[in-house]
Amino acid sequence: MAEGRHEAETEGGFAFDHPTRRRLPLLVAPTTSAETNAFRDALTPVACWAIGDVRFEFDSSFVKPEVASETPLLARLLQRHARGDVPPTLSVFGHADPVGQDDYNKQLSGRRAAAIHGLLTRDVDRWEELFSRPFAADVWGQPALRRMLSTLGHEGAGAATEFQAANGLAVDGVIGPQTRAALFAAYMDAVCVDDVGGPLRVEKSSFMGSGTDADGKADFQGCSELNPALLLGLDEAAALDKAERDANNTPNRRVITFLFRAGTHRGPEEWPCPRFREDVSGCRARFFVDHERRRAPGASRREYKQTRDTFACRFYDRFSVRSPCEGLRNQRLVEIVFDDPYLGPVAGVLVDVAYSRGARESLVTDPAGAVVVEVSKGELADTTYQREGFVQTRRVFLDPPPVSSDDGDWQRLANLGYVLQPEPELSPGSAADLSRALRAFQADFRLPISGALDGSTRARLDEAHADRAPWQTRPWIDDVAPGPGDANLKGSRS
């Protein structure tokens, strides 16, 4: 059993796993007729990926090249939440700040969502539409073309002809439709990359609507200013000039991509969000009854991650309230990996979790044997599951102190299975208890077996505690057994 964290943040965005949601059991009974009841799994986000305002030109949908810092975060999420060959399902939501009119902001937020969807799917036709059909201040124009050429290494007055010559195009220096199509494709490959710098591409069939709607319904949408992450207080907003208000409203200008369980899809006819070019009238059917109060600025500043009461759309709120990209933005999450040294990862198993602060829940482990939980529910959790006819129980410490402390080392050793007590306390009961656990850990990890906390032991313990790799794949499994007289006793342990 190991504990790890799956979260990452850059200057321009962030990516998080969602807490594991309880899956209700299906109750099945025989029937005397030919009638059947169909069950469809709920829309359950498993992760989220956010792109901030800083990755777009101001008041524009053009995606800056620095987005290459954020796309590897998505690549890791896609790999982690795939089920075999089936990738997770995506849907993109664009948001604007609460300045201006709803319909205007819906267009701009929708265009930003369309730009991200086009980037991920390599839809150059979508980008051509955004380029050739400007909307208000969202005009890509020559500055965007020069930025793309520069990113690809073509500078100065001859940049266009140089690009055309390098890509087998007619060399006339005019960046017309054919040249733009090649430029868009090359730029997308350069800035939408995976962990190793290779192009990251997501098939349209991996989005919620499977790419069946020409305008991307269910695949991407604009949410206008209907779901502000931040509402400035009335007096605070009045005291700021326009530039200051724009700066303070930066958290509202965002594009959030939710990843849903692999195989989850909804057709355009089932999806409530209107198309990105349509007005907000289609959104209103999903508003909270008190949506006007929710969106209204008050005497003091309100943030969704703290108050959970600034979103107008209850459909979007359902995804967001327990999302680290929105409602749980200020919450720490940890991943518990259940990993049997003989049978491997404990995948697809119901685990009962009892937290030290009183909460209880039943969670199903993912294919790697993991669940993600909120630290705020308790400093420790008692877990129980059944596998191969045996009931397994283990106490897990959710937020161990640093390895520089004995308590931190003790809690990590307990999480990794080196503490014999079934319900260990936060601190070791005695120096002998800690030394016994350390000796077993040192033996397994090819360290001098001293039972003492030296720097190399603490470093290896911290690394092992965050390691998600199954026991069978860890390097020390295949080490040569020590010879006679070797201080490392791993070869003599069973």
Side-chain angles (χ1 to χ4, degrees):
M1 179 183 296
E3 174 269 329
R5 295 171 179 81
H6 279 151
E7 55 190 55
E9 188 162 357
T10 65
E11 179 188 6
F14 39 85
F16 296 96
D17 287 335
H18 278 213
T20 303
R21 299 291 294 271
R22 180 182 180 186
R23 298 189 70 175
L24 297 175
L26 296 181
L27 303 179
V28 182
T31 178
T32 57
S33 70
E35 296 176 353
T36 59
N37 289 324
F39 174 83
R40 184 169 64 183
D41 220 353
L43 285 173
T44 304
V46 295
C48 59
W49 178 61
I51 297 295
D53 183 54
V54 69
R55 291 304 184 235
F56 296 92
E57 293 293 352
F58 180 72
D59 210 17
S60 171
S61 58
F62 175 64
V63 185
K64 294 180 179 179
E66 290 82 4
V67 76
S69 297
E70 285 73 51
T71 57
L73 307 183
L74 176 62
R76 291 199 286 271
L77 290 180
L78 291 170
Q79 182 179 26
R80 190 155 61 242
H81 291 286
R83 293 191 173 183
D85 295 332
V86 183
T89 300
L90 291 76
S91 191
V92 186
F93 296 81
H95 301 274
D97 62 35
V99 178
Q101 300 299 312
D102 287 353
D103 286 337
Y104 173 88
N105 281 327
K106 185 177 182 306
Q107 290 286 315
L108 177 59
S109 62
R111 287 169 67 90
R112 283 188 167 184
I116 292 296
H117 177 268
L119 175 68
L120 296 174
T121 61
R122 299 302 191 271
D123 191 343
V124 296
D125 291 336
R126 183 72 66 197
W127 274 33
E128 175 62 26
E129 178 185 19
L130 295 170
F131 178 91
S132 59
R133 295 176 60 181
F135 172 76
D138 186 14
V139 181
W140 290 26
Q142 292 301 312
L145 297 176
R146 287 194 296 269
R147 188 74 182 271
M148 285 186 272
L149 287 167
S150 176
T151 300
L152 296 171
H154 305 291
E155 303 275 3
T161 56
E162 186 179 286
F163 175 80
Q164 288 170 332
N167 288 274
L169 301 165
V171 181
D172 58 8
V174 177
I175 308 181
Q178 288 187 331
T179 299
R180 286 200 298 272
L183 178 59
F184 293 160
Y187 180 76
M188 290 173 175
D189 280 345
V191 305
C192 188
V193 294
D194 59 19
D195 263 346
V196 295
L200 169 66
R201 179 172 180 171
V202 183
E203 297 298 325
K204 289 185 178 181
S205 58
S206 295
F207 284 80
M208 184 61 68
S210 304
T212 57
D213 186 84
D215 282 333
K217 187 172 172 63
D219 297 337
F220 61 92
Q221 46 270 310
C223 294
S224 185
E225 57 186 81
L226 305 177
N227 303 307
L230 165 68
L231 284 172
L232 299 175
L234 290 170
D235 292 342
E236 178 186 16
L240 301 175
D241 61 27
K242 183 181 183 304
E244 291 171 325
R245 283 196 306 275
D246 284 340
N248 275 270
N249 273 312
T250 296
N252 291 316
R253 300 185 292 268
R254 65 209 189 277
V255 176
I256 307 288
T257 299
F258 286 110
L259 284 70
F260 298 85
R261 287 176 182 151
T264 301
H265 289 282
R266 297 291 186 271
E269 69 284 353
E270 302 174 275
W271 194 251
C273 300
R275 295 172 177 84
F276 81 105
R277 273 197 290 262
E278 296 172 338
D279 61 29
V280 299
S281 60
C283 301
R284 297 189 183 279
R286 294 288 177 150
F287 279 7
F288 285 105
V289 173
D290 62 343
H291 66 92
E292 292 183 356
R293 179 197 63 80
R294 286 171 166 264
R295 296 175 58 199
S300 59
R301 172 186 293 228
R302 301 198 331 268
E303 295 184 69
Y304 181 79
K305 66 183 181 181
Q306 295 174 343
T307 64
R308 314 287 203 276
D309 68 347
T310 64
F311 288 1
C313 178
R314 67 180 189 276
F315 178 69
Y316 184 76
D317 181 83
R318 196 176 95 203
F319 303 145
S320 303
V321 70
R322 297 189 74 242
S323 169
C325 290
E326 297 280 27
L328 294 182
R329 186 72 181 90
N330 58 346
Q331 296 289 327
R332 286 194 59 232
L333 305 177
V334 296
E335 179 186 61
I336 305 173
V337 181
F338 296 89
D339 179 16
D340 188 291
Y342 301 102
L343 300 176
V346 183
V349 171
L350 186 70
V351 180
D352 291 321
V353 186
Y355 299 94
S356 56
R357 294 180 186 168
R360 303 182 69 95
E361 59 185 342
S362 297
L363 306 174
V364 176
T365 57
D366 70 13
V371 296
V372 180
V373 301
E374 301 167 46
V375 172
S376 61
K377 292 183 177 180
E379 55 195 358
L380 61 87
D382 289 320
T383 65
T384 305
Y385 67 89
Q386 184 171 327
R387 192 183 194 198
E388 303 294 333
F390 294 95
V391 175
Q392 304 287 340
T393 61
R394 177 69 58 81
R395 173 163 289 182
V396 181
F397 296 98
L398 301 181
D399 192 20
V403 288
S404 57
S405 69
D406 287 0
D407 287 357
D409 295 313
W410 172 256
Q411 292 178 29
R412 285 170 174 79
L413 288 165
N415 286 352
L416 291 169
Y418 290 100
V419 172
L420 299 180
Q421 295 94 318
E423 296 183 355
E425 299 298 325
L426 294 168
S427 302
S430 67
D433 289 340
L434 178 58
S435 179
R436 186 182 303 110
L438 280 170
R439 289 173 64 84
F441 175 81
Q442 289 167 335
D444 271 349
F445 285 84
R446 291 286 179 174
L447 296 165
I449 303 173
S450 64
L453 281 164
D454 53 69
S456 59
T457 297
R458 280 183 156 141
R460 190 68 183 92
L461 177 58
D462 200 27
E463 179 184 355
H465 191 247
D467 186 4
R468 198 176 197 259
W471 283 72
Q472 291 89 336
T473 65
R474 292 180 188 171
W476 56 263
I477 289 293
D478 296 323
D479 283 353
V480 177
D486 193 326
N488 190 322
L489 306 180
K490 179 180 185 301
S492 64
R493 295 182 72 244
S494 61

